[in-house]
Amino acid sequence: MSQFTQPNEWSVLLNAMADDELTAEQERRFVTLLQADEEFRKEYVCFCQLLTQLRWQNDVEPEETSTPERQVFPVRSARLLRGWWQTSLAVVMILMAVIGWQRWNGSTQNASGQLVRVSGRVGIIRNKQPILWISPEEISSNPQPLHRGDRVQTGHGSSATLILSDQTRIRIRPETEIIVRPRSTGGISVPFGSMSAKVTPQSSRHPLSFFLPNAE
């Protein structure tokens, strides 16, 4: 857990980002919030838009207030160049955040399920991306969509609950990994560990299957 608490945490992180003074720990927390907290993403975009607008006004103000008697040279000051650089950086960060979030989550309508509760250290692995660690505080107000092929891992003393799109409820026990509807099987794979499930009545044509190391 970070040493910051909401809502002061957001203010500290956003202002540190604007001043280019994020520590390594703050930067990791910043990325985690962008990935897992929809409200923080909205706040981040609004903050960057406001910051860009203010810096734009500050940069153009000297040109607008200059008098005809004053000779103006087409040379940008170091402060003006720095302002443009920071504005460009803010725009790039917004684009990277939006693109990264879309790649991670995809469309919620196409999600195979949602991670709705975690206890302890729980991670999600999607494709070849770095593992995303989910905290109980983040998941309580913002369930994490799960897509085909996602791996959910629990550590020692941790557990998780996910709900599939058909409302099947799966309880993942400690030291377990499950793969959500891999394309090769369409069911739920459990490479190691244990789990329990409350399964919604299934169609006889396409029943939900669970694939364990020694059983199906």
Side-chain angles (χ1 to χ4, degrees):
M1 287 295 295
S2 171
Q3 60 181 335
F4 302 114
T5 56
Q6 295 179 354
N8 292 335
E9 178 187 26
W10 292 6
S11 177
V12 170
L13 291 175
L14 290 171
N15 282 286
M17 179 272 295
D19 295 333
D20 196 21
E21 296 178 353
L22 282 172
T23 65
E25 178 186 0
Q26 287 176 326
E27 186 174 349
R28 287 193 295 269
R29 178 60 176 160
F30 200 101
V31 172
T32 299
L33 285 172
L34 283 175
Q35 292 176 336
D37 194 320
E38 182 178 0
E39 292 302 318
F40 179 76
R41 290 194 301 277
K42 293 178 181 178
E43 187 71 19
Y44 168 72
V45 172
C46 291
F47 180 87
C48 288
Q49 290 173 338
L50 177 61
L51 188 65
T52 302
Q53 183 178 4
L54 290 174
R55 284 174 173 164
W56 175 271
Q57 292 175 350
N58 183 62
D59 288 341
V60 301
E61 183 178 359
E63 298 179 6
E64 294 176 351
T65 57
S66 59
T67 61
E69 293 79 10
R70 182 180 176 183
Q71 189 174 9
V72 180
F73 296 93
V75 178
R76 297 182 182 271
S77 65
R79 179 193 60 78
L80 187 59
L81 287 174
R82 185 172 182 269
W84 276 104
W85 179 83
Q86 290 176 330
T87 300
S88 301
L89 178 61
V91 173
V92 171
M93 290 183 67
I94 293 175
L95 293 175
M96 288 178 63
V98 171
I99 293 172
W101 177 250
Q102 289 176 342
R103 286 180 178 178
W104 175 265
N105 283 281
S107 171
T108 55
Q109 294 180 350
N110 296 327
S112 294
Q114 287 186 322
L115 193 64
V116 297
R117 182 179 300 174
V118 302
S119 174
R121 190 173 177 82
V122 176
I124 300 175
I125 301 176
R126 178 167 298 164
N127 297 326
K128 296 181 180 180
Q129 299 182 29
I131 189 168
L132 174 66
W133 296 107
I134 304 296
S135 69
E137 293 78 8
E138 293 166 343
I139 208 72
S140 61
S141 59
N142 188 32
Q144 174 66 48
L146 295 173
H147 300 275
R148 284 184 176 271
D150 283 359
R151 294 174 177 263
V152 181
Q153 295 179 344
T154 57
H156 178 72
S158 64
S159 61
T161 301
L162 65 89
I163 298 178
L164 301 181
S165 56
D166 65 358
Q167 300 306 306
T168 291
R169 192 177 190 90
I170 299 176
R171 174 74 172 175
I172 309 171
R173 293 171 179 160
E175 299 182 324
T176 297
E177 176 181 282
I178 74 165
I179 307 175
V180 182
R181 296 187 183 276
R183 297 187 183 279
S184 59
T185 64
I188 302 294
S189 292
V190 187
F192 61 85
S194 61
M195 49 147 285
S196 60
K198 183 178 181 181
V199 181
T200 299
Q202 301 289 304
S203 164
S204 58
R205 293 185 176 181
H206 304 287
L208 176 63
S209 299
F210 293 87
F211 300 90
L212 286 74
N214 300 311
E216 176 182 339

PDB file of all heavy atoms in Angstrom, residues 32-56:
ATOM      1  N   THR A  32      -0.527   2.371 -11.638  1.00  0.00           N
ATOM      2  CA  THR A  32      -1.549   1.455 -11.110  1.00  0.00           C
ATOM      3  C   THR A  32      -2.918   2.113 -11.089  1.00  0.00           C
ATOM      4  O   THR A  32      -3.927   1.512 -11.471  1.00  0.00           O
ATOM      5  CB  THR A  32      -1.166   1.008  -9.690  1.00  0.00           C
ATOM      6  OG1 THR A  32       0.082   0.318  -9.730  1.00  0.00           O
ATOM      7  CG2 THR A  32      -2.232   0.093  -9.104  1.00  0.00           C
ATOM      8  N   LEU A  33      -2.982   3.375 -10.642  1.00  0.00           N
ATOM      9  CA  LEU A  33      -4.259   4.084 -10.596  1.00  0.00           C
ATOM     10  C   LEU A  33      -4.820   4.304 -11.997  1.00  0.00           C
ATOM     11  O   LEU A  33      -6.029   4.160 -12.219  1.00  0.00           O
ATOM     12  CB  LEU A  33      -4.077   5.431  -9.886  1.00  0.00           C
ATOM     13  CG  LEU A  33      -3.942   5.378  -8.364  1.00  0.00           C
ATOM     14  CD1 LEU A  33      -3.562   6.737  -7.806  1.00  0.00           C
ATOM     15  CD2 LEU A  33      -5.242   4.892  -7.724  1.00  0.00           C
ATOM     16  N   LEU A  34      -3.961   4.634 -12.957  1.00  0.00           N
ATOM     17  CA  LEU A  34      -4.433   4.815 -14.328  1.00  0.00           C
ATOM     18  C   LEU A  34      -5.027   3.528 -14.888  1.00  0.00           C
ATOM     19  O   LEU A  34      -6.013   3.549 -15.629  1.00  0.00           O
ATOM     20  CB  LEU A  34      -3.276   5.277 -15.219  1.00  0.00           C
ATOM     21  CG  LEU A  34      -2.863   6.750 -15.115  1.00  0.00           C
ATOM     22  CD1 LEU A  34      -1.636   7.013 -15.972  1.00  0.00           C
ATOM     23  CD2 LEU A  34      -3.995   7.686 -15.513  1.00  0.00           C
ATOM     24  N   GLN A  35      -4.460   2.387 -14.498  1.00  0.00           N
ATOM     25  CA  GLN A  35      -4.940   1.106 -15.016  1.00  0.00           C
ATOM     26  C   GLN A  35      -6.215   0.638 -14.322  1.00  0.00           C
ATOM     27  O   GLN A  35      -7.086   0.042 -14.953  1.00  0.00           O
ATOM     28  CB  GLN A  35      -3.851   0.049 -14.859  1.00  0.00           C
ATOM     29  CG  GLN A  35      -2.643   0.278 -15.737  1.00  0.00           C
ATOM     30  CD  GLN A  35      -1.550  -0.722 -15.483  1.00  0.00           C
ATOM     31  OE1 GLN A  35      -1.466  -1.308 -14.394  1.00  0.00           O
ATOM     32  NE2 GLN A  35      -0.689  -0.944 -16.466  1.00  0.00           N
ATOM     33  N   ALA A  36      -6.330   0.936 -13.017  1.00  0.00           N
ATOM     34  CA  ALA A  36      -7.381   0.279 -12.230  1.00  0.00           C
ATOM     35  C   ALA A  36      -8.489   1.194 -11.749  1.00  0.00           C
ATOM     36  O   ALA A  36      -9.529   0.707 -11.316  1.00  0.00           O
ATOM     37  CB  ALA A  36      -6.749  -0.418 -11.013  1.00  0.00           C
ATOM     38  N   ASP A  37      -8.320   2.519 -11.798  1.00  0.00           N
ATOM     39  CA  ASP A  37      -9.296   3.427 -11.190  1.00  0.00           C
ATOM     40  C   ASP A  37      -9.855   4.369 -12.248  1.00  0.00           C
ATOM     41  O   ASP A  37      -9.182   5.293 -12.703  1.00  0.00           O
ATOM     42  CB  ASP A  37      -8.630   4.226 -10.057  1.00  0.00           C
ATOM     43  CG  ASP A  37      -9.655   4.928  -9.174  1.00  0.00           C
ATOM     44  OD1 ASP A  37     -10.639   5.453  -9.722  1.00  0.00           O
ATOM     45  OD2 ASP A  37      -9.458   4.957  -7.945  1.00  0.00           O
ATOM     46  N   GLU A  38     -11.104   4.142 -12.638  1.00  0.00           N
ATOM     47  CA  GLU A  38     -11.722   4.950 -13.690  1.00  0.00           C
ATOM     48  C   GLU A  38     -11.855   6.408 -13.270  1.00  0.00           C
ATOM     49  O   GLU A  38     -11.651   7.321 -14.077  1.00  0.00           O
ATOM     50  CB  GLU A  38     -13.097   4.371 -14.036  1.00  0.00           C
ATOM     51  CG  GLU A  38     -13.809   5.122 -15.161  1.00  0.00           C
ATOM     52  CD  GLU A  38     -15.142   4.498 -15.512  1.00  0.00           C
ATOM     53  OE1 GLU A  38     -15.505   3.481 -14.881  1.00  0.00           O
ATOM     54  OE2 GLU A  38     -15.816   5.019 -16.415  1.00  0.00           O
ATOM     55  N   GLU A  39     -12.203   6.660 -11.997  1.00  0.00           N
ATOM     56  CA  GLU A  39     -12.358   8.028 -11.525  1.00  0.00           C
ATOM     57  C   GLU A  39     -11.036   8.783 -11.569  1.00  0.00           C
ATOM     58  O   GLU A  39     -10.992   9.967 -11.896  1.00  0.00           O
ATOM     59  CB  GLU A  39     -12.925   8.032 -10.095  1.00  0.00           C
ATOM     60  CG  GLU A  39     -14.351   7.540  -9.989  1.00  0.00           C
ATOM     61  CD  GLU A  39     -15.308   8.371 -10.849  1.00  0.00           C
ATOM     62  OE1 GLU A  39     -15.156   9.611 -10.855  1.00  0.00           O
ATOM     63  OE2 GLU A  39     -16.188   7.797 -11.486  1.00  0.00           O
ATOM     64  N   PHE A  40      -9.939   8.083 -11.229  1.00  0.00           N
ATOM     65  CA  PHE A  40      -8.635   8.742 -11.292  1.00  0.00           C
ATOM     66  C   PHE A  40      -8.271   9.076 -12.735  1.00  0.00           C
ATOM     67  O   PHE A  40      -7.684  10.126 -13.005  1.00  0.00           O
ATOM     68  CB  PHE A  40      -7.556   7.859 -10.676  1.00  0.00           C
ATOM     69  CG  PHE A  40      -6.181   8.466 -10.731  1.00  0.00           C
ATOM     70  CD1 PHE A  40      -5.815   9.480  -9.869  1.00  0.00           C
ATOM     71  CD2 PHE A  40      -5.255   8.033 -11.672  1.00  0.00           C
ATOM     72  CE1 PHE A  40      -4.557  10.050  -9.927  1.00  0.00           C
ATOM     73  CE2 PHE A  40      -3.994   8.597 -11.744  1.00  0.00           C
ATOM     74  CZ  PHE A  40      -3.648   9.611 -10.857  1.00  0.00           C
ATOM     75  N   ARG A  41      -8.600   8.186 -13.676  1.00  0.00           N
ATOM     76  CA  ARG A  41      -8.311   8.471 -15.077  1.00  0.00           C
ATOM     77  C   ARG A  41      -9.042   9.719 -15.550  1.00  0.00           C
ATOM     78  O   ARG A  41      -8.485  10.559 -16.256  1.00  0.00           O
ATOM     79  CB  ARG A  41      -8.683   7.277 -15.961  1.00  0.00           C
ATOM     80  CG  ARG A  41      -7.782   6.073 -15.779  1.00  0.00           C
ATOM     81  CD  ARG A  41      -7.976   5.070 -16.904  1.00  0.00           C
ATOM     82  NE  ARG A  41      -9.340   4.603 -16.993  1.00  0.00           N
ATOM     83  CZ  ARG A  41      -9.842   3.625 -16.250  1.00  0.00           C
ATOM     84  NH1 ARG A  41      -9.084   3.025 -15.363  1.00  0.00           N
ATOM     85  NH2 ARG A  41     -11.094   3.241 -16.396  1.00  0.00           N
ATOM     86  N   LYS A  42     -10.308   9.853 -15.147  1.00  0.00           N
ATOM     87  CA  LYS A  42     -11.066  11.050 -15.514  1.00  0.00           C
ATOM     88  C   LYS A  42     -10.434  12.293 -14.902  1.00  0.00           C
ATOM     89  O   LYS A  42     -10.299  13.329 -15.560  1.00  0.00           O
ATOM     90  CB  LYS A  42     -12.518  10.903 -15.041  1.00  0.00           C
ATOM     91  CG  LYS A  42     -13.304   9.819 -15.765  1.00  0.00           C
ATOM     92  CD  LYS A  42     -14.710   9.710 -15.211  1.00  0.00           C
ATOM     93  CE  LYS A  42     -15.513   8.608 -15.902  1.00  0.00           C
ATOM     94  NZ  LYS A  42     -16.882   8.478 -15.324  1.00  0.00           N
ATOM     95  N   GLU A  43     -10.047  12.186 -13.627  1.00  0.00           N
ATOM     96  CA  GLU A  43      -9.417  13.321 -12.949  1.00  0.00           C
ATOM     97  C   GLU A  43      -8.094  13.677 -13.620  1.00  0.00           C
ATOM     98  O   GLU A  43      -7.744  14.851 -13.766  1.00  0.00           O
ATOM     99  CB  GLU A  43      -9.188  12.966 -11.472  1.00  0.00           C
ATOM    100  CG  GLU A  43      -8.691  14.119 -10.610  1.00  0.00           C
ATOM    101  CD  GLU A  43      -9.760  15.171 -10.366  1.00  0.00           C
ATOM    102  OE1 GLU A  43     -10.957  14.864 -10.552  1.00  0.00           O
ATOM    103  OE2 GLU A  43      -9.391  16.295 -10.004  1.00  0.00           O
ATOM    104  N   TYR A  44      -7.351  12.661 -14.042  1.00  0.00           N
ATOM    105  CA  TYR A  44      -6.055  12.874 -14.693  1.00  0.00           C
ATOM    106  C   TYR A  44      -6.219  13.615 -16.015  1.00  0.00           C
ATOM    107  O   TYR A  44      -5.490  14.572 -16.304  1.00  0.00           O
ATOM    108  CB  TYR A  44      -5.385  11.519 -14.908  1.00  0.00           C
ATOM    109  CG  TYR A  44      -4.178  11.552 -15.810  1.00  0.00           C
ATOM    110  CD1 TYR A  44      -2.986  12.121 -15.383  1.00  0.00           C
ATOM    111  CD2 TYR A  44      -4.242  11.016 -17.091  1.00  0.00           C
ATOM    112  CE1 TYR A  44      -1.876  12.149 -16.214  1.00  0.00           C
ATOM    113  CE2 TYR A  44      -3.141  11.050 -17.926  1.00  0.00           C
ATOM    114  CZ  TYR A  44      -1.960  11.616 -17.480  1.00  0.00           C
ATOM    115  OH  TYR A  44      -0.872  11.641 -18.302  1.00  0.00           O
ATOM    116  N   VAL A  45      -7.183  13.181 -16.823  1.00  0.00           N
ATOM    117  CA  VAL A  45      -7.412  13.840 -18.106  1.00  0.00           C
ATOM    118  C   VAL A  45      -7.843  15.286 -17.906  1.00  0.00           C
ATOM    119  O   VAL A  45      -7.342  16.197 -18.576  1.00  0.00           O
ATOM    120  CB  VAL A  45      -8.466  13.067 -18.929  1.00  0.00           C
ATOM    121  CG1 VAL A  45      -8.851  13.849 -20.178  1.00  0.00           C
ATOM    122  CG2 VAL A  45      -7.934  11.690 -19.321  1.00  0.00           C
ATOM    123  N   CYS A  46      -8.762  15.544 -16.961  1.00  0.00           N
ATOM    124  CA  CYS A  46      -9.210  16.915 -16.676  1.00  0.00           C
ATOM    125  C   CYS A  46      -8.048  17.778 -16.192  1.00  0.00           C
ATOM    126  O   CYS A  46      -7.912  18.939 -16.576  1.00  0.00           O
ATOM    127  CB  CYS A  46     -10.330  16.897 -15.634  1.00  0.00           C
ATOM    128  SG  CYS A  46     -11.883  16.197 -16.221  1.00  0.00           S
ATOM    129  N   PHE A  47      -7.198  17.197 -15.350  1.00  0.00           N
ATOM    130  CA  PHE A  47      -6.052  17.936 -14.822  1.00  0.00           C
ATOM    131  C   PHE A  47      -5.100  18.318 -15.945  1.00  0.00           C
ATOM    132  O   PHE A  47      -4.614  19.457 -16.016  1.00  0.00           O
ATOM    133  CB  PHE A  47      -5.332  17.095 -13.770  1.00  0.00           C
ATOM    134  CG  PHE A  47      -4.128  17.752 -13.162  1.00  0.00           C
ATOM    135  CD1 PHE A  47      -4.271  18.587 -12.066  1.00  0.00           C
ATOM    136  CD2 PHE A  47      -2.858  17.537 -13.669  1.00  0.00           C
ATOM    137  CE1 PHE A  47      -3.166  19.200 -11.495  1.00  0.00           C
ATOM    138  CE2 PHE A  47      -1.748  18.137 -13.113  1.00  0.00           C
ATOM    139  CZ  PHE A  47      -1.907  18.977 -12.016  1.00  0.00           C
ATOM    140  N   CYS A  48      -4.813  17.370 -16.844  1.00  0.00           N
ATOM    141  CA  CYS A  48      -3.899  17.653 -17.951  1.00  0.00           C
ATOM    142  C   CYS A  48      -4.487  18.693 -18.900  1.00  0.00           C
ATOM    143  O   CYS A  48      -3.765  19.556 -19.409  1.00  0.00           O
ATOM    144  CB  CYS A  48      -3.589  16.367 -18.704  1.00  0.00           C
ATOM    145  SG  CYS A  48      -2.512  15.231 -17.802  1.00  0.00           S
ATOM    146  N   GLN A  49      -5.796  18.628 -19.133  1.00  0.00           N
ATOM    147  CA  GLN A  49      -6.428  19.614 -20.001  1.00  0.00           C
ATOM    148  C   GLN A  49      -6.336  21.011 -19.394  1.00  0.00           C
ATOM    149  O   GLN A  49      -6.027  21.989 -20.082  1.00  0.00           O
ATOM    150  CB  GLN A  49      -7.894  19.239 -20.239  1.00  0.00           C
ATOM    151  CG  GLN A  49      -8.072  18.008 -21.112  1.00  0.00           C
ATOM    152  CD  GLN A  49      -9.515  17.565 -21.194  1.00  0.00           C
ATOM    153  OE1 GLN A  49     -10.330  17.890 -20.326  1.00  0.00           O
ATOM    154  NE2 GLN A  49      -9.851  16.809 -22.238  1.00  0.00           N
ATOM    155  N   LEU A  50      -6.598  21.105 -18.083  1.00  0.00           N
ATOM    156  CA  LEU A  50      -6.509  22.395 -17.397  1.00  0.00           C
ATOM    157  C   LEU A  50      -5.076  22.906 -17.397  1.00  0.00           C
ATOM    158  O   LEU A  50      -4.817  24.094 -17.647  1.00  0.00           O
ATOM    159  CB  LEU A  50      -7.020  22.252 -15.965  1.00  0.00           C
ATOM    160  CG  LEU A  50      -6.914  23.513 -15.080  1.00  0.00           C
ATOM    161  CD1 LEU A  50      -7.735  24.647 -15.685  1.00  0.00           C
ATOM    162  CD2 LEU A  50      -7.382  23.213 -13.666  1.00  0.00           C
ATOM    163  N   LEU A  51      -4.133  22.011 -17.132  1.00  0.00           N
ATOM    164  CA  LEU A  51      -2.722  22.391 -17.101  1.00  0.00           C
ATOM    165  C   LEU A  51      -2.268  22.898 -18.466  1.00  0.00           C
ATOM    166  O   LEU A  51      -1.564  23.915 -18.571  1.00  0.00           O
ATOM    167  CB  LEU A  51      -1.888  21.182 -16.684  1.00  0.00           C
ATOM    168  CG  LEU A  51      -0.398  21.427 -16.419  1.00  0.00           C
ATOM    169  CD1 LEU A  51      -0.209  22.328 -15.223  1.00  0.00           C
ATOM    170  CD2 LEU A  51       0.314  20.099 -16.192  1.00  0.00           C
ATOM    171  N   THR A  52      -2.683  22.210 -19.518  1.00  0.00           N
ATOM    172  CA  THR A  52      -2.317  22.631 -20.871  1.00  0.00           C
ATOM    173  C   THR A  52      -2.908  23.994 -21.199  1.00  0.00           C
ATOM    174  O   THR A  52      -2.237  24.856 -21.774  1.00  0.00           O
ATOM    175  CB  THR A  52      -2.798  21.588 -21.893  1.00  0.00           C
ATOM    176  OG1 THR A  52      -2.215  20.318 -21.585  1.00  0.00           O
ATOM    177  CG2 THR A  52      -2.420  21.992 -23.302  1.00  0.00           C
ATOM    178  N   GLN A  53      -4.166  24.215 -20.831  1.00  0.00           N
ATOM    179  CA  GLN A  53      -4.823  25.491 -21.113  1.00  0.00           C
ATOM    180  C   GLN A  53      -4.135  26.639 -20.377  1.00  0.00           C
ATOM    181  O   GLN A  53      -3.885  27.705 -20.952  1.00  0.00           O
ATOM    182  CB  GLN A  53      -6.290  25.421 -20.714  1.00  0.00           C
ATOM    183  CG  GLN A  53      -7.071  26.701 -21.037  1.00  0.00           C
ATOM    184  CD  GLN A  53      -8.534  26.586 -20.665  1.00  0.00           C
ATOM    185  OE1 GLN A  53      -8.964  25.590 -20.099  1.00  0.00           O
ATOM    186  NE2 GLN A  53      -9.309  27.601 -20.967  1.00  0.00           N
ATOM    187  N   LEU A  54      -3.803  26.427 -19.114  1.00  0.00           N
ATOM    188  CA  LEU A  54      -3.150  27.474 -18.333  1.00  0.00           C
ATOM    189  C   LEU A  54      -1.776  27.814 -18.894  1.00  0.00           C
ATOM    190  O   LEU A  54      -1.395  28.982 -18.982  1.00  0.00           O
ATOM    191  CB  LEU A  54      -3.027  27.027 -16.868  1.00  0.00           C
ATOM    192  CG  LEU A  54      -4.336  26.946 -16.085  1.00  0.00           C
ATOM    193  CD1 LEU A  54      -4.088  26.362 -14.700  1.00  0.00           C
ATOM    194  CD2 LEU A  54      -4.981  28.322 -15.968  1.00  0.00           C
ATOM    195  N   ARG A  55      -1.030  26.788 -19.270  1.00  0.00           N
ATOM    196  CA  ARG A  55       0.301  27.036 -19.811  1.00  0.00           C
ATOM    197  C   ARG A  55       0.231  27.696 -21.180  1.00  0.00           C
ATOM    198  O   ARG A  55       1.070  28.512 -21.543  1.00  0.00           O
ATOM    199  CB  ARG A  55       1.089  25.730 -19.872  1.00  0.00           C
ATOM    200  CG  ARG A  55       1.573  25.309 -18.483  1.00  0.00           C
ATOM    201  CD  ARG A  55       2.231  23.968 -18.472  1.00  0.00           C
ATOM    202  NE  ARG A  55       2.821  23.697 -17.159  1.00  0.00           N
ATOM    203  CZ  ARG A  55       3.199  22.503 -16.741  1.00  0.00           C
ATOM    204  NH1 ARG A  55       3.046  21.468 -17.526  1.00  0.00           N
ATOM    205  NH2 ARG A  55       3.727  22.327 -15.540  1.00  0.00           N
ATOM    206  N   TRP A  56      -0.761  27.329 -21.955  1.00  0.00           N
ATOM    207  CA  TRP A  56      -0.945  27.976 -23.251  1.00  0.00           C
ATOM    208  C   TRP A  56      -1.233  29.456 -23.073  1.00  0.00           C
ATOM    209  O   TRP A  56      -0.634  30.308 -23.741  1.00  0.00           O
ATOM    210  CB  TRP A  56      -2.090  27.283 -23.996  1.00  0.00           C
ATOM    211  CG  TRP A  56      -2.451  27.960 -25.298  1.00  0.00           C
ATOM    212  CD1 TRP A  56      -3.346  28.951 -25.501  1.00  0.00           C
ATOM    213  CD2 TRP A  56      -1.877  27.683 -26.577  1.00  0.00           C
ATOM    214  NE1 TRP A  56      -3.394  29.315 -26.807  1.00  0.00           N
ATOM    215  CE2 TRP A  56      -2.503  28.551 -27.500  1.00  0.00           C
ATOM    216  CE3 TRP A  56      -0.916  26.786 -27.029  1.00  0.00           C
ATOM    217  CZ2 TRP A  56      -2.186  28.550 -28.854  1.00  0.00           C
ATOM    218  CZ3 TRP A  56      -0.604  26.784 -28.381  1.00  0.00           C
ATOM    219  CH2 TRP A  56      -1.233  27.660 -29.272  1.00  0.00           C
TER     220      TRP A  56
END
